[in-house]
Amino acid sequence: MSVLSPVIAIVMTLILGAVLFTALGVNPAQALYVYFVEPVTQLWSLEELVVKAAPLALIAIGLALCYRANVWNIGAEGQFTAGAIFGSAIPILLPDWDSWMVLPLMLILGVIGGMLYAAIPAILKNRFGANEILTSLMLSYIALLVLDWLVRGPWRDPGSFNFPQSVTFSDAATLPLLVSDGRLHVGVLFAVLAALIAAIRLSFSVQGFAIEVAGNAPRAARFSGFSQKRITLSVFLISGGLAGLAGICEVSGVLNQLRPEISPGYGFAAIIVAFLGRLNPLAILLAALLLALSYIGGEGAQAELAVSSTVTRLFQGFLLLMILGCDTLIAYKIRLVTSRSHASGEAARG
Amino acid sequence: MVDWPVVAAIVLTIVTASTPLLLAALGEVVAERSGVLNLGVEGMMAIGAVSGFAATHATGSTFAGVIASAIGGMILAVPFAVLVINLSVNQVATGLSLTLFGLGASAMIGDKYVGVPGIKLPQLHIPGLSDIPFIGPVLFGQDGLVYFSVVLTIAIGWFLTRSRGGLVLRAVGDNHDSAHNLGLSVLGVRWAAVLFGGACAGLGGGYLSLGYTPLWTENMTAGRGWIAVALVVFASWRPARVLVGAYLFGAVTILGFHAQGMGLAIPSQFISALPYLATVVVLVIISGNKAMLRANTPACLGKPFVPTR
């Protein structure tokens, strides 16, 4: 039954889309076609779909672990940015270093950057009890401002005619492509790998069990000796590391340089991906493809129908509201109780 | 020598930077006192900002804009209330999705207003009093929403501690089972509190697009809704302390920019990061004081109420 709620939510979002496009004076059938079907009819847009889904999936897998443990990391956008900054330090500070070690070091630094940045809210929560929702989000804003400062200040390419961007990465610092031409980079494999590992660990390891217990029954977790603080720190580190990996992969594999805006809100859209995938790592891969579709469809709709691409974010938010609502409608049986039948039921029981 | 007109100008900008935070945080205090944690403040503020701007643009009246911003915030609170109060959905997740939805919807609605010049809320001048040096412009030269936010602080403070309605609200927030057994309508009180919170967040957003910077840009709320949520914790759910906190945050925001203007060589990004950094620091300091937090947090905050019979 639980598979049903994302499906209903998607259908509801499509209905909203049809209504919205009609209100905007666009033929709804054509608009929905451009939005959700056209991107999967061509090879290049299919590749684009996978390239956009990869960071969403990587981030969402980490977030799913957090949410399963009832730990609310919503600062993935910041951890993504921190990973991108840390990893980019090598090609920007040592542009002439040409070695096979460059790329692995960049990826490792990216993971470390994301982990360090995620450790801050985790430690503040464990040590001082500071609400991780607010601290992780505030840190996201700060990370974006630091990135902005770097690419306009110390890390700006001197030859960029004052454009806020870093130097273009050398070949040694660029993620290799999976197939000789096109856009599919190796980073896509990381997402699949992370999903497999996370799925196996969640089902078959003590840590996976501890996360589950801590989320569903904190008291039981305490009695069985699982430390809530350790779980909080570890899920934050894992999700931060994955977000950082997504960040450096995006910069190295797609953009090839640092810019003020390196993400169209992946860190926030990944929250939706995590819930749409029912916090299940394998289902998250599918959910990430769907959200990626909404990004590409939004660009297509803007080009072909002159509909603002902002409609994408409206769809995404609505989708999450619907998923959450449908979950309850499926978990509970709705019974309308009027005050009279209520009273008679009372009497019958009494 | 202190340059009084400059100081007065700085204080004026602090007031305009603080008022959106104050309005939004006051609404959240009421919602949280009834036991509902609404993390959708950022989204409701964004909708308030765009509806206020749109209504002002359409009618030419900032008053209509202010009303529209409150209604806009309230309308966005409706799906939240249905999910959280009637369907007992997780409040954190729903609030997050409300923020994402509100930001998306506001960007969509506001798309045609980008770059359109807005109309600023008129300042209410009181003849005679407004002309007093320094005190005049600061105390008697503000726009109507500033005065309203101060009156609202006092009114909510009175309501929560001195009125029967406030007692009911706090009872629902502190122990919904007992309140239900006393015959109080837990769901009804929470609905009213969430709608009120939505209207206040909408007003706060409206102040951004009508008073603080009279124009519309996407994401113009820039995390202020989240800062407002943090302010409620900072203020330990008391309206008077919310006022103090909001003005402290407004001062941090504005003084940074003035320090830069006076020739302090700090990159502007670091100045912009100050309010976010201050929020983290304040949360850490406040949360360290466990005894005080425990005494003030509404006991049923964030817990869904499922009436058994």
Side-chain angles (χ1 to χ4, degrees), chain A residues 17-18 25 30 33 64 81-82 90 114 118 141 149 202-203 209 213 218 222 291 307 321 333 337 348:
Chain A
Q30 188 202 357
Y33 179 80
T81 308
I90 296 180
Y141 285 106
W149 168 69
L202 266 178
S203 310
F209 180 65
V213 178
R222 268 207 302 285
L291 264 274
V307 174
L321 275 175
K333 185 171 162 192
V337 186

PDB file of all heavy atoms in Angstrom, chain A residues 17-18 25 30 33 64 81-82 90 114 118 141 149 202-203 209 213 218 222 291 307 321 333 337 348:
ATOM      1  N   GLY A  17      -0.834  20.810 -12.099  1.00  0.00           N
ATOM      2  CA  GLY A  17      -0.126  21.355 -13.250  1.00  0.00           C
ATOM      3  C   GLY A  17      -1.095  21.704 -14.364  1.00  0.00           C
ATOM      4  O   GLY A  17      -1.022  22.796 -14.945  1.00  0.00           O
ATOM      5  N   ALA A  18      -2.033  20.785 -14.653  1.00  0.00           N
ATOM      6  CA  ALA A  18      -2.992  21.022 -15.727  1.00  0.00           C
ATOM      7  C   ALA A  18      -3.826  22.272 -15.432  1.00  0.00           C
ATOM      8  O   ALA A  18      -4.025  23.138 -16.291  1.00  0.00           O
ATOM      9  CB  ALA A  18      -3.891  19.802 -15.887  1.00  0.00           C
ATOM     10  N   GLY A  25      -3.144  30.183 -19.518  1.00  0.00           N
ATOM     11  CA  GLY A  25      -3.492  30.326 -20.923  1.00  0.00           C
ATOM     12  C   GLY A  25      -2.676  29.428 -21.841  1.00  0.00           C
ATOM     13  O   GLY A  25      -2.529  29.703 -23.020  1.00  0.00           O
ATOM     14  N   GLN A  30      -0.493  19.979 -23.957  1.00  0.00           N
ATOM     15  CA  GLN A  30       0.789  20.273 -24.592  1.00  0.00           C
ATOM     16  C   GLN A  30       1.840  20.599 -23.532  1.00  0.00           C
ATOM     17  O   GLN A  30       2.988  20.144 -23.589  1.00  0.00           O
ATOM     18  CB  GLN A  30       0.616  21.449 -25.559  1.00  0.00           C
ATOM     19  CG  GLN A  30       1.852  21.701 -26.404  1.00  0.00           C
ATOM     20  CD  GLN A  30       1.911  23.117 -26.936  1.00  0.00           C
ATOM     21  OE1 GLN A  30       0.993  23.907 -26.723  1.00  0.00           O
ATOM     22  NE2 GLN A  30       2.985  23.454 -27.616  1.00  0.00           N
ATOM     23  N   TYR A  33       3.029  17.613 -21.715  1.00  0.00           N
ATOM     24  CA  TYR A  33       3.877  16.831 -22.613  1.00  0.00           C
ATOM     25  C   TYR A  33       5.297  17.405 -22.642  1.00  0.00           C
ATOM     26  O   TYR A  33       6.281  16.693 -22.457  1.00  0.00           O
ATOM     27  CB  TYR A  33       3.261  16.812 -24.021  1.00  0.00           C
ATOM     28  CG  TYR A  33       4.097  16.040 -25.020  1.00  0.00           C
ATOM     29  CD1 TYR A  33       4.042  14.650 -25.085  1.00  0.00           C
ATOM     30  CD2 TYR A  33       4.963  16.707 -25.888  1.00  0.00           C
ATOM     31  CE1 TYR A  33       4.816  13.942 -25.984  1.00  0.00           C
ATOM     32  CE2 TYR A  33       5.744  16.005 -26.799  1.00  0.00           C
ATOM     33  CZ  TYR A  33       5.670  14.613 -26.838  1.00  0.00           C
ATOM     34  OH  TYR A  33       6.451  13.919 -27.713  1.00  0.00           O
ATOM     35  N   ALA A  64      17.973  10.677   3.914  1.00  0.00           N
ATOM     36  CA  ALA A  64      17.058   9.624   4.325  1.00  0.00           C
ATOM     37  C   ALA A  64      17.552   8.954   5.605  1.00  0.00           C
ATOM     38  O   ALA A  64      16.760   8.652   6.508  1.00  0.00           O
ATOM     39  CB  ALA A  64      16.903   8.595   3.207  1.00  0.00           C
ATOM     40  N   THR A  81      27.822  22.794  -0.890  1.00  0.00           N
ATOM     41  CA  THR A  81      28.687  23.926  -1.211  1.00  0.00           C
ATOM     42  C   THR A  81      30.055  23.769  -0.559  1.00  0.00           C
ATOM     43  O   THR A  81      31.094  24.022  -1.191  1.00  0.00           O
ATOM     44  CB  THR A  81      28.032  25.234  -0.735  1.00  0.00           C
ATOM     45  OG1 THR A  81      26.702  25.281  -1.245  1.00  0.00           O
ATOM     46  CG2 THR A  81      28.794  26.441  -1.211  1.00  0.00           C
ATOM     47  N   ALA A  82      30.066  23.336   0.713  1.00  0.00           N
ATOM     48  CA  ALA A  82      31.343  23.160   1.411  1.00  0.00           C
ATOM     49  C   ALA A  82      32.198  22.117   0.691  1.00  0.00           C
ATOM     50  O   ALA A  82      33.405  22.292   0.514  1.00  0.00           O
ATOM     51  CB  ALA A  82      31.093  22.743   2.858  1.00  0.00           C
ATOM     52  N   ILE A  90      42.164  22.386  -4.760  1.00  0.00           N
ATOM     53  CA  ILE A  90      43.334  21.850  -5.473  1.00  0.00           C
ATOM     54  C   ILE A  90      43.461  22.447  -6.882  1.00  0.00           C
ATOM     55  O   ILE A  90      44.472  23.062  -7.204  1.00  0.00           O
ATOM     56  CB  ILE A  90      43.298  20.315  -5.517  1.00  0.00           C
ATOM     57  CG1 ILE A  90      43.409  19.774  -4.094  1.00  0.00           C
ATOM     58  CG2 ILE A  90      44.435  19.769  -6.386  1.00  0.00           C
ATOM     59  CD1 ILE A  90      43.393  18.281  -4.005  1.00  0.00           C
ATOM     60  N   GLY A 114      32.278  18.401   3.191  1.00  0.00           N
ATOM     61  CA  GLY A 114      30.870  18.197   3.530  1.00  0.00           C
ATOM     62  C   GLY A 114      30.715  17.655   4.942  1.00  0.00           C
ATOM     63  O   GLY A 114      29.845  18.072   5.708  1.00  0.00           O
ATOM     64  N   ALA A 118      28.921  19.430   8.108  1.00  0.00           N
ATOM     65  CA  ALA A 118      27.773  18.788   8.747  1.00  0.00           C
ATOM     66  C   ALA A 118      28.042  18.499  10.213  1.00  0.00           C
ATOM     67  O   ALA A 118      27.110  18.368  11.013  1.00  0.00           O
ATOM     68  CB  ALA A 118      27.425  17.494   8.014  1.00  0.00           C
ATOM     69  N   TYR A 141      23.132  29.193   4.461  1.00  0.00           N
ATOM     70  CA  TYR A 141      23.218  30.575   3.978  1.00  0.00           C
ATOM     71  C   TYR A 141      24.662  31.073   4.072  1.00  0.00           C
ATOM     72  O   TYR A 141      25.157  31.755   3.177  1.00  0.00           O
ATOM     73  CB  TYR A 141      22.301  31.493   4.790  1.00  0.00           C
ATOM     74  CG  TYR A 141      20.840  31.336   4.462  1.00  0.00           C
ATOM     75  CD1 TYR A 141      19.974  30.688   5.320  1.00  0.00           C
ATOM     76  CD2 TYR A 141      20.316  31.848   3.275  1.00  0.00           C
ATOM     77  CE1 TYR A 141      18.628  30.552   5.023  1.00  0.00           C
ATOM     78  CE2 TYR A 141      18.975  31.711   2.968  1.00  0.00           C
ATOM     79  CZ  TYR A 141      18.134  31.058   3.851  1.00  0.00           C
ATOM     80  OH  TYR A 141      16.820  30.928   3.541  1.00  0.00           O
ATOM     81  N   TRP A 149      31.865  35.022  -1.882  1.00  0.00           N
ATOM     82  CA  TRP A 149      33.049  35.839  -1.598  1.00  0.00           C
ATOM     83  C   TRP A 149      34.280  35.288  -2.316  1.00  0.00           C
ATOM     84  O   TRP A 149      35.047  36.032  -2.938  1.00  0.00           O
ATOM     85  CB  TRP A 149      33.265  35.889  -0.081  1.00  0.00           C
ATOM     86  CG  TRP A 149      34.585  36.457   0.321  1.00  0.00           C
ATOM     87  CD1 TRP A 149      34.992  37.751   0.199  1.00  0.00           C
ATOM     88  CD2 TRP A 149      35.691  35.749   0.907  1.00  0.00           C
ATOM     89  NE1 TRP A 149      36.263  37.892   0.672  1.00  0.00           N
ATOM     90  CE2 TRP A 149      36.718  36.685   1.112  1.00  0.00           C
ATOM     91  CE3 TRP A 149      35.894  34.423   1.283  1.00  0.00           C
ATOM     92  CZ2 TRP A 149      37.947  36.327   1.684  1.00  0.00           C
ATOM     93  CZ3 TRP A 149      37.108  34.064   1.853  1.00  0.00           C
ATOM     94  CH2 TRP A 149      38.109  35.015   2.039  1.00  0.00           C
ATOM     95  N   LEU A 202      21.487  -0.568   5.767  1.00  0.00           N
ATOM     96  CA  LEU A 202      20.273  -0.307   6.544  1.00  0.00           C
ATOM     97  C   LEU A 202      19.586  -1.607   6.941  1.00  0.00           C
ATOM     98  O   LEU A 202      19.064  -1.737   8.046  1.00  0.00           O
ATOM     99  CB  LEU A 202      19.296   0.551   5.732  1.00  0.00           C
ATOM    100  CG  LEU A 202      19.360   2.058   5.945  1.00  0.00           C
ATOM    101  CD1 LEU A 202      18.368   2.749   5.034  1.00  0.00           C
ATOM    102  CD2 LEU A 202      19.071   2.421   7.395  1.00  0.00           C
ATOM    103  N   SER A 203      19.596  -2.578   6.024  1.00  0.00           N
ATOM    104  CA  SER A 203      18.859  -3.814   6.309  1.00  0.00           C
ATOM    105  C   SER A 203      19.676  -4.824   7.095  1.00  0.00           C
ATOM    106  O   SER A 203      19.124  -5.612   7.844  1.00  0.00           O
ATOM    107  CB  SER A 203      18.416  -4.472   5.001  1.00  0.00           C
ATOM    108  OG  SER A 203      17.781  -3.541   4.185  1.00  0.00           O
ATOM    109  N   PHE A 209      20.271  -0.852  12.014  1.00  0.00           N
ATOM    110  CA  PHE A 209      19.237  -1.156  13.002  1.00  0.00           C
ATOM    111  C   PHE A 209      19.166  -0.050  14.057  1.00  0.00           C
ATOM    112  O   PHE A 209      18.083   0.392  14.448  1.00  0.00           O
ATOM    113  CB  PHE A 209      19.558  -2.506  13.654  1.00  0.00           C
ATOM    114  CG  PHE A 209      18.559  -2.931  14.679  1.00  0.00           C
ATOM    115  CD1 PHE A 209      17.254  -3.219  14.298  1.00  0.00           C
ATOM    116  CD2 PHE A 209      18.908  -3.027  16.012  1.00  0.00           C
ATOM    117  CE1 PHE A 209      16.316  -3.607  15.242  1.00  0.00           C
ATOM    118  CE2 PHE A 209      17.975  -3.416  16.962  1.00  0.00           C
ATOM    119  CZ  PHE A 209      16.677  -3.707  16.577  1.00  0.00           C
ATOM    120  N   VAL A 213      15.916   2.131  15.167  1.00  0.00           N
ATOM    121  CA  VAL A 213      15.372   2.147  16.529  1.00  0.00           C
ATOM    122  C   VAL A 213      15.382   3.567  17.085  1.00  0.00           C
ATOM    123  O   VAL A 213      14.409   4.021  17.677  1.00  0.00           O
ATOM    124  CB  VAL A 213      16.184   1.215  17.452  1.00  0.00           C
ATOM    125  CG1 VAL A 213      15.644   1.284  18.877  1.00  0.00           C
ATOM    126  CG2 VAL A 213      16.122  -0.205  16.942  1.00  0.00           C
ATOM    127  N   PRO A 218      12.930   6.128  20.538  1.00  0.00           N
ATOM    128  CA  PRO A 218      14.145   6.628  21.188  1.00  0.00           C
ATOM    129  C   PRO A 218      14.391   5.995  22.550  1.00  0.00           C
ATOM    130  O   PRO A 218      15.533   5.726  22.915  1.00  0.00           O
ATOM    131  CB  PRO A 218      13.886   8.126  21.324  1.00  0.00           C
ATOM    132  CG  PRO A 218      12.689   8.434  20.498  1.00  0.00           C
ATOM    133  CD  PRO A 218      11.996   7.171  20.170  1.00  0.00           C
ATOM    134  N   ARG A 222      17.664   3.839  23.841  1.00  0.00           N
ATOM    135  CA  ARG A 222      18.475   4.101  25.044  1.00  0.00           C
ATOM    136  C   ARG A 222      18.664   2.828  25.848  1.00  0.00           C
ATOM    137  O   ARG A 222      19.754   2.515  26.302  1.00  0.00           O
ATOM    138  CB  ARG A 222      17.798   5.164  25.909  1.00  0.00           C
ATOM    139  CG  ARG A 222      18.255   6.570  25.615  1.00  0.00           C
ATOM    140  CD  ARG A 222      18.108   7.492  26.820  1.00  0.00           C
ATOM    141  NE  ARG A 222      16.754   7.574  27.337  1.00  0.00           N
ATOM    142  CZ  ARG A 222      15.779   8.261  26.737  1.00  0.00           C
ATOM    143  NH1 ARG A 222      16.013   8.901  25.612  1.00  0.00           N
ATOM    144  NH2 ARG A 222      14.575   8.308  27.266  1.00  0.00           N
ATOM    145  N   LEU A 291      12.475  14.099  -9.959  1.00  0.00           N
ATOM    146  CA  LEU A 291      12.731  15.523  -9.650  1.00  0.00           C
ATOM    147  C   LEU A 291      13.634  16.157 -10.701  1.00  0.00           C
ATOM    148  O   LEU A 291      13.451  17.314 -11.070  1.00  0.00           O
ATOM    149  CB  LEU A 291      13.363  15.643  -8.259  1.00  0.00           C
ATOM    150  CG  LEU A 291      12.446  15.938  -7.078  1.00  0.00           C
ATOM    151  CD1 LEU A 291      12.238  17.428  -6.919  1.00  0.00           C
ATOM    152  CD2 LEU A 291      11.097  15.269  -7.216  1.00  0.00           C
ATOM    153  N   VAL A 307       6.654  29.721 -20.372  1.00  0.00           N
ATOM    154  CA  VAL A 307       6.180  29.626 -18.990  1.00  0.00           C
ATOM    155  C   VAL A 307       7.416  29.733 -18.096  1.00  0.00           C
ATOM    156  O   VAL A 307       8.414  29.066 -18.343  1.00  0.00           O
ATOM    157  CB  VAL A 307       5.479  28.275 -18.746  1.00  0.00           C
ATOM    158  CG1 VAL A 307       5.131  28.115 -17.286  1.00  0.00           C
ATOM    159  CG2 VAL A 307       4.233  28.173 -19.597  1.00  0.00           C
ATOM    160  N   LEU A 321       4.061  18.281  -0.211  1.00  0.00           N
ATOM    161  CA  LEU A 321       2.861  18.424   0.616  1.00  0.00           C
ATOM    162  C   LEU A 321       1.921  17.248   0.369  1.00  0.00           C
ATOM    163  O   LEU A 321       1.351  16.663   1.300  1.00  0.00           O
ATOM    164  CB  LEU A 321       2.137  19.724   0.263  1.00  0.00           C
ATOM    165  CG  LEU A 321       2.597  21.007   0.946  1.00  0.00           C
ATOM    166  CD1 LEU A 321       1.842  22.197   0.390  1.00  0.00           C
ATOM    167  CD2 LEU A 321       2.365  20.920   2.445  1.00  0.00           C
ATOM    168  N   LYS A 333      -7.671   5.123   8.632  1.00  0.00           N
ATOM    169  CA  LYS A 333      -8.961   5.007   7.970  1.00  0.00           C
ATOM    170  C   LYS A 333      -9.742   6.260   8.333  1.00  0.00           C
ATOM    171  O   LYS A 333      -9.877   6.604   9.510  1.00  0.00           O
ATOM    172  CB  LYS A 333      -9.666   3.760   8.502  1.00  0.00           C
ATOM    173  CG  LYS A 333     -10.957   3.449   7.810  1.00  0.00           C
ATOM    174  CD  LYS A 333     -11.425   2.076   8.279  1.00  0.00           C
ATOM    175  CE  LYS A 333     -12.892   1.878   7.992  1.00  0.00           C
ATOM    176  NZ  LYS A 333     -13.396   0.679   8.689  1.00  0.00           N
ATOM    177  N   VAL A 337     -17.170  11.723  11.750  1.00  0.00           N
ATOM    178  CA  VAL A 337     -17.947  11.573  12.966  1.00  0.00           C
ATOM    179  C   VAL A 337     -18.729  12.854  13.191  1.00  0.00           C
ATOM    180  O   VAL A 337     -18.149  13.903  13.447  1.00  0.00           O
ATOM    181  CB  VAL A 337     -17.023  11.321  14.174  1.00  0.00           C
ATOM    182  CG1 VAL A 337     -17.854  11.026  15.404  1.00  0.00           C
ATOM    183  CG2 VAL A 337     -16.078  10.188  13.873  1.00  0.00           C
ATOM    184  N   ALA A 348     -24.222   3.933  23.389  1.00  0.00           N
ATOM    185  CA  ALA A 348     -24.222   2.488  23.152  1.00  0.00           C
ATOM    186  C   ALA A 348     -23.106   1.832  23.951  1.00  0.00           C
ATOM    187  O   ALA A 348     -23.288   0.759  24.507  1.00  0.00           O
ATOM    188  CB  ALA A 348     -24.019   2.215  21.657  1.00  0.00           C
TER     189      ALA A 348
END
